[in-house]
């Protein structure tokens, strides 16, 4: 079923006039790495992990090395836990993916982005957090995982009813 | 049909800075209706795929912790004005959306 959904998404992308043919040629020529196609399956095990350690394990980032080259820009105190802006940028060359995790969220893994074809090690988004927690950012570069942490205090949670 | 995305791009130091805003409730499945005590069913975007001139540049998976009406910003080095950007998302209920933009 997961596979079917991914195919749907791909079809959606291909819908643009003539683009399908171009992409099919690119695939046939092996220009697009097959690993990217695999990365497109929603990682249910990782997103449904209830602990940070499990989530890290399921994205293959166990034992990631602490790095000072990952810069996390986020408020120290978030007044509204439902909308916390975060900007991640990393100085190491060849960033392949960025994952965002919040230790105390019911499901710690928040997002996992695979970067390709010139996309820089940078990601900007907004996320929810129910309570004060340490936020972890995992960057994969040159086949190795690096991790950085940052505590964000929440005065009003963003997950409760 | 989902509302179209809002896409903004600008060139910064030889890279295209791209911002995408999606209109989506991003319901976590944990929030309860105060009257009935029943949890609102989870409804959130799981996949986001961005392609530039048909090459994937950002292939992202999301959980419900991304805020309502998600915003994603990313930078693509080597992108040029006039390049065609396509962004598509799909949520856990199978709803989909697709938008196109040109790098400014």
């Amino acid at each position: 079923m997961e596979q079917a959904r991914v195919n749907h998404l791909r079809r959606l992308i291909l819908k643009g006039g003539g683009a399908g043919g171009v992409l099919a040629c690119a695939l046939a020529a092996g220009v697009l790495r097959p690993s990217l196609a695999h990365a497109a399956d929603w990682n249910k095990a990782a997103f449904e992990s209830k602990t940070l350690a499990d989530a890290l394990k399921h994205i293959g980032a166990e034992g990631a090395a602490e790095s000072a080259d990952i810069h996390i820009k986020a408020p120290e105190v978030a007044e509204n836990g439902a909308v916390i802006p975060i900007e991640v940028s990393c100085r190491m060359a060849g960033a392949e993916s960025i994952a965002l995790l919040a230790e105390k969220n019911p499901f710690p893994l928040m997002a996992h982005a695979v970067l390709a074809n010139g996309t820089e090690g940078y990601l900007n988004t907004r996320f929810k957090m129910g309570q004060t927690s340490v936020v972890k950012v995992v960057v994969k570069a040159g086949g190795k995982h690096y991790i950085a942490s940052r505590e964000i205090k929440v005065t009003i949670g963003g997950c409760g009813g | 049909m989902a509302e179209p995305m809002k896409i903004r791009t600008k060139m910064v130091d030889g890279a295209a800075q791209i911002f995408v805003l999606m209109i989506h409730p991003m319901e976590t499945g944990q929030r309860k209706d105060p009257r009935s005590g029943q949890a609102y069913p989870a409804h959130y975007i799981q996949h986001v795929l961005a392609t530039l001139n048909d090459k994937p540049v950002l292939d992202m998976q999301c959980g419900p912790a991304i805020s309502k009406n998600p915003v994603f910003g990313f930078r693509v080095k080597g992108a040029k004005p006039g390049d065609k950007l396509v962004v598509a998302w799909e949520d856990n209920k199978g709803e989909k959306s697709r938008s196109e933009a040109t790098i400014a």
Side-chain angles (χ1 to χ4, degrees):
Chain A
M1 200 192 84
E2 293 271 294
Q3 192 60 46
R5 304 232 328 245
V6 170
N7 285 338
H8 264 122
L9 193 68
R10 223 170 267 148
R11 226 166 281 142
L12 205 64
I13 282 270
L14 296 180
K15 232 165 42 182
V22 175
L23 195 60
C25 289
L27 278 169
V31 174
L32 301 178
R33 291 174 304 142
S35 63
L36 202 66
H38 287 296
D41 285 344
W42 197 65
N43 193 340
K44 193 172 157 71
F47 280 100
E48 291 185 352
S49 295
K50 293 202 163 120
T51 64
L52 186 72
D54 275 358
L56 287 173
K57 192 175 83 190
H58 283 118
I59 59 169
E62 266 176 321
E66 292 278 339
S67 170
D69 287 336
I70 303 172
H71 183 69
I72 306 172
K73 193 172 151 193
E76 270 175 42
V77 179
E79 284 180 12
N80 180 359
V83 186
I84 306 171
I86 186 167
E87 187 183 85
V88 176
S89 50
C90 51
R91 281 191 289 272
M92 61 271 266
E96 296 158 36
S97 77
I98 297 179
L100 305 178
L101 303 101
E103 194 168 5
K104 289 196 181 146
N105 270 12
F107 304 108
L109 183 60
M110 303 193 285
H112 189 197
V114 176
L115 319 170
N117 294 308
T119 304
E120 294 179 357
Y122 168 91
L123 192 65
N124 188 333
T125 189
R126 305 187 298 208
F127 67 94
K128 288 177 266 197
M129 219 159 67
Q131 56 177 306
T132 297
S133 169
V134 172
V135 168
K136 305 247 179 198
V137 174
V138 176
V139 173
K140 187 181 177 195
K144 284 169 88 177
H145 287 91
Y146 300 92
I147 193 163
S149 315
R150 173 76 193 275
E151 193 189 40
I152 299 176
K153 291 191 171 70
V154 172
T155 48
I156 303 170
C159 295
Chain B
M1 190 60 196
E3 277 192 58
M5 292 169 235
K6 289 191 175 75
I7 302 176
R8 271 193 314 163
T9 69
K10 77 175 178 199
M11 295 300 296
V12 181
D13 301 331
Q17 167 106 29
I18 299 163
F19 273 97
V20 185
L21 168 72
M22 303 163 183
I23 305 297
H24 199 282
M26 295 302 281
E27 195 57 71
T28 59
Q30 317 230 4
R31 217 162 56 92
K32 285 193 178 113
D33 183 334
R35 288 199 190 141
S36 66
Q38 295 281 313
Y40 294 108
H43 186 200
Y44 57 95
I45 292 173
Q46 286 188 322
H47 274 125
V48 175
L49 183 58
T51 63
L52 193 71
N53 290 343
D54 301 320
K55 281 193 202 159
V57 287
L58 183 79
D59 181 346
M60 180 148 82
Q61 304 187 3
C62 304
I66 298 298
S67 296
K68 180 179 175 179
N69 299 337
V71 171
F72 297 110
F74 56 101
R75 285 179 189 157
V76 184
K77 210 173 190 133
K80 291 182 289 297
D83 284 357
K84 190 180 131 200
L85 176 75
V86 179
V87 184
W89 59 251
E90 182 170 357
D91 68 24
N92 66 324
K93 292 185 177 176
E95 287 173 25
K96 305 182 234 307
S97 179
R98 179 187 189 276
S99 291
E100 285 181 22
T102 306
I103 301 296

